Amino acid sequence: MVFPKPASESDLFLPYNFTSPHNADSLPRFSIPDNSMPKEAAYQNIHDELQLDAIPKLNLASFVTTSMEEECNKLIMESINKNYVDMDEYPATTDLHNRCVNMIARLFNVEIGENESAIGAGTVGSSEAIMLAGLAFKKKWQNKRKAEGKSYDKPNLVTGANVQVCWEKFARYFEVELREVNVREDYYVMDPAKAVEMVDENTICVAAILGSTYNGEFEDVKLLNDLLLEKKKQTGWDTPIHVDAASGGFIAPFLYPELEWDFRLPLVKSINVSGHKYGLVYAGIGWVIWRTKEDLPEDLIFHINYLGADQPTFTLNFSKGSSQIIAQYYQLIRLGQEGYRRIMEDCRENAMVLKKHLEGTGYFNILSKDNGVPVVAFSLKDRSQYDEFKISKMLRRHGWVVPAYPMPPGAEHIKVLRVVIRAEFSRTLAERLALDIKNVLHELQKLPLNIKDEKSMVDTALEANREIIAQESNKRQKIMAA
């Protein structure tokens, strides 16, 4: 006779979370617990703790998409258990990946035939894409130097000091000297002329940024291309360009189609773009596109056959989810060029609305450009009483995450606040943010000079909260008395 196993405390169904004994103890932090807990308790405890995070839509520090349509969310969940690397097992997913590569390559004006496949790869983000592009440049430079019988142990890379940290990672991880062009006041991106001065025979490429992290500005890739061609005439050095279009790659083609920054320029050999930024997909997808097959050295491509068929692969990792690739394809066909153009125009208009409100206060200088990534970067005209960091902290009280930071080397004495205008950031939110910034300025103006240190700011915030609680308590008492 088989006796049923007695239910343990962990197996009991708890209809109300507040009755759960698992709420009496803190969640484990360092060791896996000895006993299990009900799924409801595990979910609720984690869910509650995550409420301490900022609201993603109000996180204006991030370029990353935080909202997608429900139909796309369904596709993501339906494919969340698919490992993209199993190409032979998931051929339809592989085909969607290849379609994305071809669509994005043609968006960037790659020179290929109508039915010809482009050369590119999906990545976890632009950081991996940049690593792959950098490795391709380094390997191609090394192969050329070896064939010429020249030394190949001192490669260098030229960028602006405003590049994202992934370029510094690439240089350090893969032993490439990073030569940075310092910015200067009123010119916060790489100066093409100064970049070309740093180029020598060991330069594997010059990296141009289409959308600076600091203020959204596009660097002048056309001028850089022309200056490098002129230097080639003088020296014979064939120095290629990589365009880091992480932020601007899905903006420039729709807002500034006449701007020459992509494969229309002969020295641009590779481009990366973040699908999870203005490609309008959740975090976890980037793309790297090469101009031709020759720009991606064959000895960097691995061929594996232990998953059922010969599969070429050029990635830094192996296993990777399929969901974001599928989501990218959804957005490309769902929105089309018309939809992307409309969304980017809306972002630009919302950025202009916020900019106008900030200029109207009379307190700020605007450091971002009207033409570029829809970012509003601004600094105080007068820091004698408070600075940008105080404003950033005060805005957190209203739920906004607006970062404050110094500009890159060469202009580090300038401090800025930056607001990234994403697709899900509405006109209503733009106007509410402007109002809250004005309210913060008003609050700071009322504070006596002798208490404008960090501790006093915290005390002031606590006192404001106490006043709100007291007011609500008085309201309740009046209602009960009535």
Side-chain angles (χ1 to χ4, degrees), residues 394 397 443 454-470:
M394 291 284 281
R397 290 172 48 195
E443 292 174 41
E454 185 172 346
K455 181 178 181 300
S456 296
M457 292 284 286
V458 173
D459 292 341
T460 302
L462 290 173
E463 184 60 33
N465 287 335
R466 293 191 191 102
E467 291 179 10
I468 293 172
I469 294 171

Side-chain angles (χ1 to χ4, degrees), residues 287-335:
W287 302 94
V288 57
I289 309 294
W290 283 274
R291 186 185 196 92
T292 66
K293 187 177 181 179
E294 289 69 34
D295 294 309
L296 176 56
E298 179 64 30
D299 49 354
L300 287 178
I301 301 174
F302 291 84
H303 293 265
I304 59 173
N305 58 16
Y306 45 79
L307 293 176
D310 178 69
Q311 297 173 6
T313 176
F314 179 38
T315 59
L316 291 182
N317 65 313
F318 193 64
S319 293
K320 178 173 63 178
S322 296
S323 296
Q324 263 62 6
I325 292 171
I326 293 167
Q328 182 72 84
Y329 184 67
Y330 173 91
Q331 293 290 55
L332 292 173
I333 66 168
R334 161 78 173 97
L335 297 173

Side-chain angles (χ1 to χ4, degrees), residues 38-154:
K39 59 181 183 293
E40 296 87 358
Y43 167 81
Q44 193 64 49
N45 275 284
I46 297 172
H47 173 82
D48 291 347
E49 189 166 356
L50 289 174
Q51 298 306 300
L52 297 172
D53 281 343
I55 300 172
K57 186 174 285 190
L58 303 185
N59 177 11
L60 305 183
S62 176
F63 289 84
V64 176
T65 297
T66 63
S67 179
M68 299 187 73
E69 293 175 327
E70 186 57 35
E71 289 76 9
C72 191
N73 290 336
K74 287 171 63 178
L75 285 171
I76 288 172
M77 293 310 300
E78 290 168 2
S79 57
I80 202 166
N81 58 352
K82 291 182 180 179
N83 187 357
Y84 173 70
V85 77
D86 296 334
M87 299 178 187
D88 195 51
E89 289 78 1
Y90 305 123
T93 300
T94 301
D95 189 47
L96 295 189
H97 167 276
N98 295 339
R99 293 182 200 178
C100 290
V101 168
N102 282 304
M103 290 179 179
I104 294 170
R106 284 168 172 78
L107 184 67
F108 296 164
N109 293 294
V110 72
E111 296 177 353
I112 55 176
E114 183 178 351
N115 298 316
E116 188 178 352
S117 293
I119 307 300
T123 60
V124 176
S126 275
S127 291
E128 183 188 5
I130 284 168
M131 302 288 175
L132 298 178
L135 284 170
F137 281 119
K138 182 180 178 182
K139 177 60 70 173
K140 189 171 183 180
W141 173 83
Q142 287 177 327
N143 290 344
K144 181 181 179 182
R145 298 283 291 183
K146 289 177 184 178
E148 295 172 347
K150 298 178 180 178
S151 63
Y152 53 89
D153 60 336
K154 295 182 179 180

Side-chain angles (χ1 to χ4, degrees), residues 357-399:
H357 279 290
L358 293 174
E359 288 177 328
T361 67
Y363 285 93
F364 299 110
N365 292 314
I366 305 298
L367 278 65
S368 48
K369 304 294 184 182
D370 290 348
N371 295 334
V373 176
V375 163
V376 183
F378 52 104
S379 63
L380 283 165
K381 293 180 179 179
D382 180 10
R383 297 186 185 86
S384 61
Q385 298 183 24
Y386 49 85
D387 61 12
E388 291 80 2
F389 297 92
K390 295 286 177 62
I391 294 175
S392 177
K393 290 180 179 179
M394 291 284 281
L395 284 172
R396 289 298 292 263
R397 290 172 48 195
H398 298 269

Side-chain angles (χ1 to χ4, degrees), residues 23-284:
N23 288 345
D25 298 317
S26 298
L27 289 178
R29 296 175 62 85
F30 301 107
S31 301
I32 299 175
D34 295 331
N35 300 318
S36 59
M37 68 170 63
K39 59 181 183 293
E40 296 87 358
Y43 167 81
Q44 193 64 49
N45 275 284
I46 297 172
H47 173 82
D48 291 347
E49 189 166 356
L50 289 174
Q51 298 306 300
L52 297 172
D53 281 343
I55 300 172
K57 186 174 285 190
L58 303 185
N59 177 11
L60 305 183
S62 176
F63 289 84
V64 176
T65 297
T66 63
S67 179
M68 299 187 73
E69 293 175 327
E70 186 57 35
E71 289 76 9
C72 191
N73 290 336
K74 287 171 63 178
L75 285 171
I76 288 172
M77 293 310 300
E78 290 168 2
S79 57
I80 202 166
N81 58 352
K82 291 182 180 179
N83 187 357
Y84 173 70
V85 77
D86 296 334
M87 299 178 187
D88 195 51
E89 289 78 1
Y90 305 123
T93 300
T94 301
D95 189 47
L96 295 189
H97 167 276
N98 295 339
R99 293 182 200 178
C100 290
V101 168
N102 282 304
M103 290 179 179
I104 294 170
R106 284 168 172 78
L107 184 67
F108 296 164
N109 293 294
V110 72
E111 296 177 353
I112 55 176
E114 183 178 351
N115 298 316
E116 188 178 352
S117 293
I119 307 300
T123 60
V124 176
S126 275
S127 291
E128 183 188 5
I130 284 168
M131 302 288 175
L132 298 178
L135 284 170
F137 281 119
K138 182 180 178 182
K139 177 60 70 173
K140 189 171 183 180
W141 173 83
Q142 287 177 327
N143 290 344
K144 181 181 179 182
R145 298 283 291 183
K146 289 177 184 178
E148 295 172 347
K150 298 178 180 178
S151 63
Y152 53 89
D153 60 336
K154 295 182 179 180
N156 69 69
L157 165 72
V158 178
T159 71
N162 57 309
V163 292
Q164 213 263 0
V165 69
C166 60
W167 284 100
E168 298 177 37
K169 290 182 179 180
F170 167 76
R172 189 177 303 178
Y173 294 167
F174 298 105
E175 298 181 322
V176 175
E177 178 193 354
L178 185 63
R179 297 181 176 181
E180 292 184 324
V181 179
N182 282 352
V183 303
R184 60 181 183 273
E185 191 167 347
D186 297 326
Y187 197 96
Y188 302 109
V189 293
M190 179 180 70
D191 184 333
K194 292 185 177 180
V196 172
E197 289 175 4
M198 291 185 174
V199 168
D200 60 24
E201 61 181 344
N202 293 321
T203 302
I204 63 173
C205 78
V206 180
I209 313 299
L210 194 76
S212 171
T213 298
Y214 289 87
N215 69 343
E217 187 175 351
F218 292 165
E219 293 182 345
D220 194 337
V221 188
K222 176 68 165 59
L223 177 58
L224 177 64
N225 179 87
D226 295 345
L227 291 174
L228 286 172
L229 287 174
E230 187 63 32
K231 188 157 190 170
K232 180 181 178 181
K233 293 179 182 178
Q234 301 169 3
T235 64
W237 300 334
D238 190 8
T239 309
I241 296 172
H242 175 85
V243 180
D244 179 357
S247 299
F250 278 104
I251 294 172
F254 302 111
L255 292 184
Y256 315 107
E258 302 304 318
L259 180 67
E260 294 184 58
W261 63 273
D262 52 17
F263 292 117
R264 286 170 289 183
L265 302 175
L267 294 184
V268 174
K269 303 300 182 181
S270 57
I271 300 172
N272 70 275
V273 64
S274 291
H276 58 222
K277 293 182 180 177
Y278 290 96
L280 307 181
V281 178
Y282 295 134

